[in-house]
Amino acid sequence: MTGEAIVETEELTKRYAGGTLAVDRVSFQVKAGEVFGFLGPNGAGKTTTIMMLTTLIRPTSGRATVCGRDVVASPHWVRQQLGYVSQDVAVDESLTGWENLYLQGRLYHLEPAVLRQRVGELLATVELEEPAHRPVATYSGGMRKRLDIAAGLIHRPRLLFLDEPTLGLDIQTRSRIWEYIRRMRDEHGVTVFLTTHYMEEADRLCDRVAIIDHGRIVALDTPAALKQALGGDLVTIRLAHPGPVPGGVGGGRPPLDRPAGDGQQAGHEAGHEALKALAAEMARLPLVESVQPGADSTVQLVVREGERATPVLLDFLSSRRVRVESVALKRPTLDDVFLRYTGRQLRDDEGAAAYHRMARAVRRVRG
Amino acid sequence: MSGTGIASAAADAYPVGSRWTTLPADTWWICWRELKRLWGQKIRIFMTLIQPLIWLALMGNMFQRIAAIPGFPARSYLDYMAPGIVTMVTLFGGIFGGLGIVWDRRLGYLQKLLAAPISRTAVVTGKMLAIAVQTAFQALVIFALALAMGVHFAAGVAGVPVLLLLAVLLSQVFAGISLCLGAVLTSHEALMAVVNFLTMPLMFTSNAMMPLDMMPAWLAKLAVLNPLSYAINPMRSLFLTGWDWAGLARGLVVLALSGLIMTAAASSLFRRSMA
């Protein structure tokens, strides 16, 4: 069931009354059955895009279709198809968890019998059966968010919009919510459109990611491909030996075993030459893109498919009877990707949260 | 399963229906939320009951001697004041009742409601219905308290539903005003300032506490424009003299029309504020 577009935008643009260009001619497709992520810093236009797709604000220009219909022409129909979980934890504190879900189902015009059953199922899914009949005012932040997500699923939407689903939650709750999102997709075939400013979240959860900055999509692909575009994985190998001595004499002995004095300096020089020779040989191995011999008996390599390349490198070194002290495989993160496409690093979480609250307050004032 | 298959299945499962056909149900469920909220906050219910009691006791005693002024139309000030208290409580309940919409907007709950396939008008009418229910309940309590304090009700048992109807219609006018303000002003502070600015003049430019012919002429003219007067006059007749059909019909028609106009205005402003 993956394949055709469930969300499609063409040159979608939103300019607020104050003149702020929040979303600038954005075109993309979300395929049915995928988890699609919008990744970008606060104020990049993520929420504005979601609000246009969920019919909450009207695009200034451009077009968007959701489940095959235009959001401006058929807003009512579009609303019936989608679930929306905003970044505000929009649950009613004075109602119980059960009542929140029941009301939500009523607003989607579900039959009472069907609704009661579904409320029970969803409460079980998000592990809120026990406190179901307590007022939400007594719930923790994580419990509220789980309830909020359950509310977004009450009418079994084909498409679920999650705006910053794990904002401000602790690590444990966050991974629990990731688990729900995966299950929704895997077990119920729900297409998920989420926004996040957490690199890790986009990387671990999304099938495809659009990186958005200043209202423009700067890159769109699978997380793996985006990272691949950076040139590959980084392997750093530290050798226990400065390099193979031609003829194999003394091979395998660590540098500390060498006699002290002038001999050490000479040995070091010779070792560096040997390291360079070794590096030149490694550059010809499969999957290796480039090799850089470094100080301290280390070699840095850029390789394709780091997991497969690493054993090849180690086999080669062992065939040359070179002992390896340590090896590090670092895959480029979406952080590196973001930096590459925008020239900036994502703000750190703490600052981002404060900034975020401010941005939200501003948006509310705008209405 | 192809995507189009899912689309048609979903369309079958959730009847498309126009926005207007679901209006009554949506209105009820928005109202249900408001009433549940109220029920969950027992202190609010307690305050809405205790407040009129204090007013009745305090004002009834304080202004007791006004009734002795020649030309005062009632045998005791409490008889005269009881319908005034009903309208006063209705005024406050109505005009503060719609302000919750500002919090709903702030907390993101409004967006959640609007992302659901409900009639947009229902967000307004649901809140108004909740205010109507609350007003009817309060008016009934005040009426019972007043009777217990020896107030005379000339119209008899049949007059009670009419009294409640007048109070409910009046509450809809003020709920409408309140929701209009809530749609236009998104800052809670600004809203409170405007509402406080409105309530006192509304009280004192009506005949809630003083008969029209005991007021200065200019104030009496203002009172004619005040929707409160159209509820108080017929209510007062019910208390003091019984059935004044002409005054009653005029009051009901004016209040019902004003209520409808305010509902339409609030819905329209509210839709526009979300565009």
Side-chain angles (χ1 to χ4, degrees):
Chain A
M1 45 193 280
T2 315
E4 100 263 23
I6 193 165
V7 175
E8 197 166 2
T9 73
E10 271 170 44
E11 305 268 300
L12 191 65
T13 302
K14 179 67 191 182
R15 188 184 285 278
Y16 283 110
T20 315
L21 187 60
V23 175
D24 183 13
R25 285 167 290 139
V26 159
S27 304
F28 65 92
Q29 290 190 341
V30 179
K31 299 192 178 83
E34 74 175 336
V35 178
F36 184 88
F38 246 30
L39 174 70
N42 303 303
K46 304 188 297 289
T47 298
T48 301
T49 306
I50 278 208
M51 287 178 87
M52 286 192 278
L53 296 177
T54 52
T55 77
L56 289 174
I57 56 175
R58 195 179 268 271
T60 310
S61 63
R63 236 167 53 86
T65 55
V66 170
C67 302
R69 293 219 202 165
D70 189 278
V71 292
V72 177
S74 322
H76 195 71
W77 189 87
V78 166
R79 283 178 202 127
Q80 288 175 316
Q81 310 304 313
L82 59 87
Y84 168 57
V85 181
S86 71
Q87 60 188 324
D88 310 294
V89 185
V91 287
D92 193 320
E93 282 202 352
S94 47
L95 303 185
T96 67
W98 192 93
E99 287 167 345
N100 266 285
L101 293 185
Y102 187 76
L103 176 60
Q104 181 82 3
R106 283 302 199 161
L107 297 177
Y108 282 84
H109 311 122
L110 301 183
E111 291 302 319
V114 176
L115 178 54
R116 277 168 199 281
Q117 191 194 341
R118 248 183 236 176
V119 169
E121 284 169 12
L122 280 169
L123 284 169
T125 306
V126 297
E127 300 160 84
L128 288 174
E129 280 169 307
E130 187 262 319
H133 295 285
R134 290 211 313 256
V136 171
T138 64
Y139 286 22
S140 69
M143 289 160 81
R144 287 172 195 218
K145 191 70 213 184
R146 273 144 57 200
L147 182 66
D148 200 18
I149 292 177
L153 289 167
I154 195 83
H155 58 298
R156 302 223 171 122
R158 305 166 58 196
L159 171 63
L160 183 68
F161 287 92
L162 295 169
D163 197 357
E164 301 270 5
T166 64
L167 183 70
L169 298 178
D170 60 57
I171 301 292
Q172 215 181 346
T173 310
R174 188 177 292 179
S175 57
R176 228 155 150 189
I177 284 172
W178 290 350
E179 186 55 41
Y180 300 148
I181 295 173
R182 284 197 200 98
R183 269 175 53 195
M184 271 181 261
R185 198 270 303 273
D186 296 345
E187 292 171 20
H188 302 288
V190 178
T191 308
V192 179
F193 184 119
L194 65 87
T195 72
T196 182
H197 65 270
Y198 297 119
M199 287 291 170
E200 194 198 355
E201 189 161 283
D203 198 2
R204 291 188 39 183
L205 212 50
C206 297
D207 298 312
R208 289 193 308 142
V209 176
I211 294 180
I212 181 164
D213 191 39
H214 296 307
R216 300 280 299 164
I217 289 181
V218 293
L220 196 167
D221 213 325
T222 62
L226 287 172
K227 289 182 285 188
Q228 199 85 54
L230 292 180
D233 300 337
L234 197 66
V235 180
T236 308
I237 300 174
R238 180 189 283 267
L239 304 175
H241 185 276
V245 176
V249 182
R253 271 199 295 153
L256 284 177
D257 290 353
R258 291 182 168 262
D262 291 348
Q264 188 183 21
Q265 188 59 37
H268 196 81
E269 289 294 320
H272 196 68
E273 284 306 306
L275 197 65
K276 273 163 90 175
L278 193 67
E281 268 191 279
M282 288 170 92
R284 289 192 290 274
L285 292 171
L287 299 173
V288 175
E289 295 283 326
S290 66
V291 186
Q292 182 84 51
D296 259 8
S297 308
T298 60
V299 189
Q300 287 209 321
L301 304 96
V302 176
V303 300
R304 278 171 285 123
E305 300 175 58
E307 297 95 333
R308 285 185 55 211
T310 307
V312 172
L313 294 169
L314 295 179
D315 280 350
F316 165 77
L317 290 171
S318 109
S319 78
R320 288 289 183 278
R321 309 173 83 192
V322 177
R323 270 180 34 206
V324 172
E325 194 173 276
S326 68
V327 63
L329 169 62
K330 182 179 177 282
R331 327 205 54 179
T333 63
L334 278 172
D335 264 309
D336 300 315
V337 177
F338 190 82
L339 184 66
R340 147 98 189 257
Y341 284 107
T342 67
R344 286 180 296 115
Q345 224 142 12
L346 276 181
R347 284 172 274 260
D348 64 294
D349 287 359
E350 290 298 312
Y355 178 84
H356 201 80
R357 280 194 295 275
M358 206 173 75
R360 225 178 331 163
V362 169
R363 209 173 41 251
R364 276 177 192 142
V365 170
R366 266 190 215 128
Chain B
M1 193 150 95
S2 78
T4 35
I6 307 170
S8 51
D12 289 343
Y14 310 115
V16 174
S18 91
R19 279 166 273 184
W20 295 104
T21 55
T22 61
L23 177 60
D26 296 338
T27 299
W28 164 246
W29 288 106
I30 301 283
C31 170
W32 180 85
R33 170 182 174 235
E34 298 291 329
L35 295 179
K36 274 272 175 190
R37 286 170 65 86
L38 181 65
W39 189 245
Q41 298 164 311
K42 298 286 192 293
I43 186 82
R44 247 176 86 193
I45 299 176
F46 178 72
M47 289 313 290
T48 58
L49 298 184
I50 204 77
Q51 194 186 27
L53 182 64
I54 289 173
W55 281 359
L56 273 173
L58 213 65
M59 293 193 160
N61 280 319
M62 215 158 63
F63 300 123
Q64 189 64 33
R65 296 181 53 193
I66 294 178
I69 298 172
F72 193 84
R75 73 185 167 94
S76 83
Y77 188 70
L78 207 55
D79 282 10
Y80 184 80
M81 194 54 203
I85 302 269
V86 173
T87 51
M88 208 149 102
V89 166
T90 302
L91 162 66
F92 284 119
I95 209 147
F96 286 102
L99 303 191
I101 206 160
V102 176
W103 282 112
D104 281 346
R105 194 196 291 274
R106 285 231 166 161
L107 299 176
Y109 200 89
L110 188 57
Q111 283 83 338
K112 182 165 157 167
L113 287 179
L114 292 176
I118 58 168
S119 154
R120 314 280 96 176
T121 312
V123 178
V124 168
T125 52
K127 291 202 182 260
M128 291 180 79
L129 179 60
I131 291 168
V133 172
Q134 196 186 331
T135 301
F137 172 68
Q138 277 182 305
L140 192 62
V141 170
I142 297 167
F143 178 72
L145 286 174
L147 282 192
M149 291 171 84
V151 168
H152 176 73
F153 190 66
V157 181
V160 180
V162 180
L163 177 74
L164 298 189
L165 180 63
L166 284 165
V168 164
L169 288 177
L170 182 68
S171 78
Q172 299 301 283
V173 178
F174 292 118
I177 292 175
S178 170
L179 287 165
C180 283
L181 292 172
V184 175
L185 301 171
T186 47
S187 138
H188 202 255
E189 290 81 2
L191 203 56
M192 288 308 280
V194 173
V195 165
N196 281 325
F197 170 77
L198 282 179
T199 48
M200 278 302 146
L202 274 169
M203 278 303 303
F204 288 107
T205 61
S206 79
N207 54 354
M209 290 188 272
M210 274 291 160
L212 281 185
D213 43 11
M214 291 176 85
M215 286 181 187
W218 63 272
L219 200 56
K221 272 185 192 138
L222 275 181
V224 174
L225 298 174
N226 190 334
L228 274 176
S229 302
Y230 290 90
I232 294 174
N233 284 335
M235 275 189 199
R236 194 158 276 153
S237 304
L238 292 174
F239 273 89
L240 301 180
T241 58
W243 298 91
D244 163 21
W245 295 106
L248 192 60
R250 195 175 59 144
L252 288 175
V253 168
V254 169
L255 290 176
L257 282 179
S258 318
L260 277 178
I261 291 169
M262 290 322 297
T263 311
S267 307
S268 144
L269 281 175
F270 176 70
R271 278 160 181 269
R272 210 169 302 167
S273 83
M274 291 314 296

